[in-house]
Amino acid sequence: MNPLDGVTIVDMGHVTAGPLASWLLQPLGADVVKVERTGTGEGGRDVVSPSEDADADGYYFHSKNAGKRSASVNVKSEAGRDVVRGLAREADVFVENFAPGKLESLGLGYGDLRLENESIVYCSISGFGHDSIDQGQRAYDSILQALSGIMYVTGYDGDPPTKLGPSVMDNLAGYVAATAILAALYHRSKTGEGQHVDISMQDSAAWLMQSRLPFDDDRTANQPAADPYPLSGVFETRNGEVAVEVRSAVQRRQLERLSAVNEFDGSLEDAIAAWAAELTTEDIVSECTSVDVSATPVRGVDEVSADDHLHERGTFEAIDCDGKWRTLPISPYRTAMPDSSASPATGGPGLGQHTDEVLMDVLGYESEVVDELHEEGVVE
Amino acid sequence: MTLDITVVEATHTRRGALCGRLLAELGAEVVLVEPPDGHPLRSVVDGSSRAEHYFEAFNVGKHSIVVEDPASDTVYDDLVSTADVFVTDQEAADAGPFSESDVRDRTGSVIYCSVTPYGRTGPRKSHSDGDLAVQATTGITATSGFSDSLPAASAAPVAATFGAFVACGTVIAALYGEDANDSIDVATQDAVLPLLTTLLPEYFATEDPVGRTGNQHPIAAPWNAFKATDGWLYIVAYIDRDWERFTEAIDRPELAKDERFNSVSNRREHADTINEIVRSWVGDRSIEDVVTRLDEEGLTAVAIGHVDSAFEDENLIHRGMRIESDSYVVAGSPFAMSASPGEVRREAPSLGDSAGFDSRGDGK
């Protein structure tokens, strides 16, 4: 059995953190209904790739919305808001990541939807929290990286503070939200009580960064920051780069021996850098592995996407996205608890692809009413 | 509290310890099983106060028992046989004292959760690796940093943290679901793979390697880090309205009409020129000057901070995310929930502080 069989999630998320939270949970059996604005749909549909290649466009949306249904609703109309309130009555979970106050102004905040459904789990994701002293600050991933301290423990001496390429803070908030939603569903199953879950990117980033508090941020030529491990960093080899991680004094001595630091005029890091530059990545990995020191090739996106291990585990899967096969990551919540009864994954929905079935099956509207709503531009 | 359960945690790394910590925040009684010389996270750092602080970050809210030999320890056997959840992060989960078969021999009904770098299936199963390795092997390192510098590793435990949220979430899913799979196999690599979804489309469309763009956003400008007289700032002002306001803030309104910069895509095309313009304006001003001026226009600019300054932020403190004792600061719980909020309920345990922990009674 899938753990979330029978759970309905109404997803008013857009772009990253909101859609991500319900995407993480959908393969555990949840029925996820996206409610998107009429006309253009949610902003994630417009995310373009740096390659400016039409083939690349759409990938991002599918990667955050695979397996969901889409209902396109004009929430600027009272009838449209009625549709959302109706869905909230039938739903177990409601997810949104608008700026705090936005849905409240439409009468779709937690206080409003709780009147429709007392036991609803209403999850908001925002930059700094709904309970926040500064509602005005905008929360781009890069801004949260800048505020969190991560840019001073990433990269190397001589470089500016350095941000991670992937949107680590946007994503993390989605994971925190998904786990909090599971906790809230569990709480509801024991007590009958619903609640407002108020996830903040800033809180999530602080949780990620807390174990760096005891340390200085001094970066060196090869390692992002000296502690907690005796040495760890990235080194250039003859044919690429290798990440070396030393986790004990014994391992450090082994590396000193391998890199012949005693015959070298400089630090151990310099010695490893000189040693690594003479050898291939494969040689470094094999020499380090033989003495129980962790050494890993720095792999590009091309190598990651062709990784046998990830494909064998089902972490990557080829999925039919509207007639085009795309290789998409699968929710790690699913790969952690595989279930052979799970239905095969499908791509993200077309805008409003399921509007009518949602209105009729979930809300029980008659087809004439649905037609009227279409005519009035309330739904698409 | 959300979780009225007992968790036995047999871990030796950050990824497993963070999972135990999250479960404790949600109310579980988490008992850390330590060898006589203590959990490795107690001694990985030199210097006693720093070592203690480091251990706290991973273990606040837990209990501790010392187990010399799991095979013959009756207290351990008792504890495991009544546990609801068993969390381990040892790589070789197929055999040995903390393996699933050993744990299931003691109790049939437990939720068994392993948190490993690559999982318990696939060609790299059981392979031992730390956070840096998982970042490197999953494309995070290769896509971080500057194009003319080494790929940038991060000292933040990125993979361990994402893995811990997946582990905590799936444990709760197993508690929640009827007849759900109770054998959980978290790979921290699986947990961070979705971070690549901004970068994969470019590769799949072009099959060209995906490069690094440093602090510059790959498709928007201004969106970059800039150096002021007293430190670094991050500025985002790429949409039309923000760019217009930005040109006013720097007293060069003519740039708003300049055809090189009059749309998002044109600004992207001329990102280098835009970076020069911003750089020269920021370069002879202080962080405070820049932030104040841009703030007046409703623009987004922040000082790039260190982790200690992040924990002094007023809003973070307002949200209860700074937990302070006499000797250390750790984060509060990110599970801000109105009815059953996460909570840090006690300091990290001293070694063996709950020697007589009784999961059936009222644990110490």
Side-chain angles (χ1 to χ4, degrees):
Chain A
M1 289 277 284
N2 286 299
L4 298 185
D5 281 344
V7 169
T8 299
I9 301 176
V10 172
D11 172 9
M12 277 194 79
H14 62 282
V15 191
T16 304
L20 177 64
S22 62
W23 173 83
L24 288 166
L25 299 177
Q26 184 277 334
L28 297 183
D31 175 18
V32 181
V33 178
K34 280 181 82 67
V35 174
E36 299 185 72
R37 65 184 169 208
T38 48
T40 54
E42 65 114 323
R45 293 186 181 273
D46 304 329
V47 172
V48 295
S49 159
S51 70
E52 289 186 313
D53 188 306
D55 262 7
D57 292 346
Y59 182 96
Y60 191 77
F61 179 77
H62 287 290
S63 77
K64 298 283 167 286
N65 294 287
K68 302 180 185 177
R69 300 200 277 176
S70 166
S72 185
V73 181
N74 178 7
V75 296
K76 288 181 180 152
S77 70
E78 189 53 35
R81 292 194 287 272
D82 264 346
V83 169
V84 177
R85 283 189 280 265
L87 287 172
R89 275 196 294 278
E90 304 302 323
D92 303 282
V93 179
F94 185 92
V95 183
E96 61 94 7
N97 61 324
F98 289 101
K102 167 90 178 169
L103 286 185
E104 286 79 356
S105 73
L106 291 169
L108 300 173
Y110 174 60
D112 304 300
L113 296 192
R114 192 179 58 169
L115 297 176
E116 308 293 333
N117 177 354
E118 209 182 342
S119 66
I120 198 162
V121 171
Y122 186 111
C123 179
S124 301
I125 308 167
S126 60
F128 301 91
H130 277 230
D131 175 11
S132 155
I133 58 175
D134 181 6
Q135 300 285 4
Q137 175 84 274
R138 274 182 278 174
Y140 301 102
D141 176 81
S142 302
I143 294 296
L144 267 299
Q145 290 205 39
L147 290 170
S148 69
I150 198 170
M151 291 178 67
Y152 278 108
V153 301
T154 302
Y156 308 100
D157 188 27
D159 284 347
T162 305
K163 128 184 144 51
L164 281 180
S167 313
V168 59
M169 300 311 179
D170 269 344
N171 277 276
L172 184 59
Y175 283 61
V176 177
T179 294
I181 287 167
L182 289 163
L185 284 171
Y186 182 80
H187 177 79
R188 194 189 64 164
S189 72
K190 297 288 171 191
T191 63
E193 196 175 25
Q195 58 184 313
H196 185 211
V197 178
D198 176 18
I199 301 304
S200 126
M201 287 169 70
Q202 186 189 27
D203 293 357
S204 308
W207 206 87
L208 164 67
M209 293 304 299
Q210 61 180 317
S211 63
R212 295 300 315 173
L213 281 167
F215 306 112
D216 300 328
D217 292 343
D218 295 341
R219 304 181 297 180
T220 73
N222 289 91
Q223 63 190 44
D227 286 305
Y229 296 125
L231 188 147
S232 57
V234 174
F235 299 88
E236 205 158 5
T237 66
R238 254 173 52 198
N239 60 342
E241 294 104 8
V242 66
V244 176
E245 190 161 52
V246 175
R247 277 169 270 164
S248 70
V250 176
Q251 291 177 357
R252 186 186 165 97
R253 279 195 294 279
Q254 295 284 15
L255 255 188
E256 285 170 352
R257 192 177 54 74
L258 281 178
S259 63
V261 66
N262 297 336
E263 297 154 32
F264 192 84
D265 187 19
S267 67
L268 175 57
E269 273 187 47
D270 293 341
I272 298 170
W275 173 61
E278 296 292 311
L279 298 175
T280 63
T281 301
E282 295 71 28
D283 288 340
I284 296 285
V285 169
S286 120
E287 292 227 22
C288 285
T289 307
S290 71
V291 295
D292 201 26
V293 167
S294 164
T296 313
V298 174
R299 300 196 307 168
V301 171
D302 49 336
E303 293 162 287
V304 177
S305 59
D307 182 4
D308 287 347
H309 179 81
L310 290 171
H311 285 273
E312 198 167 305
R313 263 184 75 74
T315 310
F316 256 138
E317 241 179 66
I319 293 174
D320 181 359
C321 298
D322 204 15
K324 179 178 166 57
W325 290 87
R326 296 178 186 268
T327 303
L328 298 175
I330 296 301
S331 165
Y333 290 66
R334 163 49 76 204
T335 55
M337 45 186 341
D339 186 315
S340 50
S341 72
S343 43
T346 57
L351 177 60
Q353 186 184 339
H354 308 92
T355 302
D356 292 3
E357 70 177 54
V358 165
L359 292 176
M360 291 193 277
D361 299 352
V362 180
L363 297 180
Y365 285 13
E366 302 290 339
S367 61
E368 299 80 49
V369 178
V370 173
D371 290 343
E372 263 172 50
L373 290 173
H374 275 286
E375 276 161 32
E376 289 162 9
V378 173
V379 300
E380 273 177 9
Chain B
M1 301 307 294
T2 303
L3 303 177
D4 181 18
I5 57 166
T6 303
V7 176
V8 175
E9 179 197 318
T11 63
H12 66 116
T13 72
R14 301 183 287 188
R15 55 180 185 262
L18 288 175
C19 169
R21 180 174 159 179
L22 289 174
L23 290 165
E25 287 178 12
L26 291 170
E29 297 300 335
V30 177
V31 186
L32 184 62
V33 173
E34 301 193 68
D37 57 350
H39 193 287
L41 289 174
R42 289 189 188 273
S43 51
V44 71
V45 178
D46 291 339
S48 64
S49 69
R50 283 205 319 176
E52 212 176 289
H53 188 175
Y54 191 64
F55 184 73
E56 291 283 346
F58 296 93
N59 293 290
V60 287
K62 300 179 190 175
H63 309 270
S64 158
I65 65 164
V66 172
V67 174
E68 189 160 2
D69 178 9
S72 61
D73 192 307
T74 55
V75 174
Y76 172 76
D77 187 60
D78 245 20
L79 183 65
V80 175
S81 62
T82 58
D84 302 288
V85 176
F86 189 95
V87 175
T88 185
D89 59 10
Q90 71 163 2
E91 291 82 356
D94 290 345
F98 304 133
S99 65
E100 180 159 13
S101 57
D102 181 84
V103 170
R104 294 226 180 269
D105 279 349
R106 298 167 195 267
T107 169
S109 60
V110 76
I111 292 167
Y112 181 87
C113 174
S114 66
V115 192
T116 59
Y118 305 109
R120 284 190 268 150
T121 61
R124 270 200 306 282
K125 70 175 182 178
S126 305
H127 188 76
S128 169
D129 259 338
D131 217 275
L132 196 73
V134 177
Q135 292 178 35
T137 212
T138 316
I140 294 174
T141 309
T143 55
S144 298
F146 300 88
S147 56
D148 58 354
S149 181
L150 279 169
S154 182
V158 174
T161 301
F162 278 82
F165 280 99
V166 174
C168 175
T170 46
V171 163
I172 300 167
L175 288 165
Y176 175 80
E178 209 175 314
D179 299 326
N181 185 347
D182 61 4
S183 174
I184 294 170
D185 172 19
V186 176
T188 61
Q189 180 174 36
D190 293 358
V192 292
L193 186 69
L195 299 189
L196 288 197
T197 48
T198 43
L199 304 151
L200 285 164
E202 182 179 355
Y203 168 68
F204 284 132
T206 63
E207 301 207 342
D208 294 334
V210 178
R212 301 186 282 280
T213 62
N215 292 321
Q216 167 63 48
H217 192 284
I219 56 169
W223 186 316
N224 206 344
F226 298 94
K227 194 173 189 187
T229 53
D230 54 350
W232 286 86
L233 287 142
Y234 211 102
I235 297 174
V236 177
Y238 78 106
I239 60 175
D240 292 336
R241 185 195 60 185
D242 286 356
W243 171 246
E244 224 167 274
R245 290 177 182 179
F246 186 82
T247 60
E248 276 161 31
I250 67 170
D251 228 1
R252 295 188 60 186
E254 78 281 3
L255 292 174
K257 306 223 161 34
D258 190 314
E259 61 186 26
R260 290 171 301 168
F261 312 131
N262 63 2
S263 71
V264 170
S265 58
N266 285 347
R267 286 193 290 282
R268 167 195 175 170
E269 187 112 335
H270 297 282
D272 289 346
T273 318
I274 290 202
N275 281 332
E276 270 319 310
I277 292 167
V278 182
R279 214 170 274 140
S280 68
W281 182 74
V282 171
D284 52 11
R285 287 173 170 77
S286 69
I287 291 175
E288 200 189 334
D289 285 351
V290 172
V291 171
T292 308
R293 184 69 196 99
L294 296 186
D295 208 36
E296 283 166 7
E297 298 288 345
L299 295 166
T300 303
V302 299
I304 298 176
H306 292 261
V307 65
D308 47 358
S309 62
F311 275 81
E312 279 157 18
D313 181 81
E314 272 182 32
N315 188 55
L316 201 75
I317 294 167
H318 166 76
R319 287 182 58 83
M321 283 302 290
R322 181 187 168 97
I323 305 277
E324 196 166 356
S325 80
D326 293 344
S327 51
Y328 66 84
V329 172
V330 297
S333 177
F335 298 128
M337 299 159 69
S338 60
S340 59
E343 198 185 333
V344 173
R345 288 175 296 152
R346 64 203 301 267
E347 295 189 357
S350 55
L351 183 61
D353 77 338
S354 300
F357 186 87
D358 177 0
S359 60
R360 285 160 293 196
D362 46 347
K364 282 205 254 180

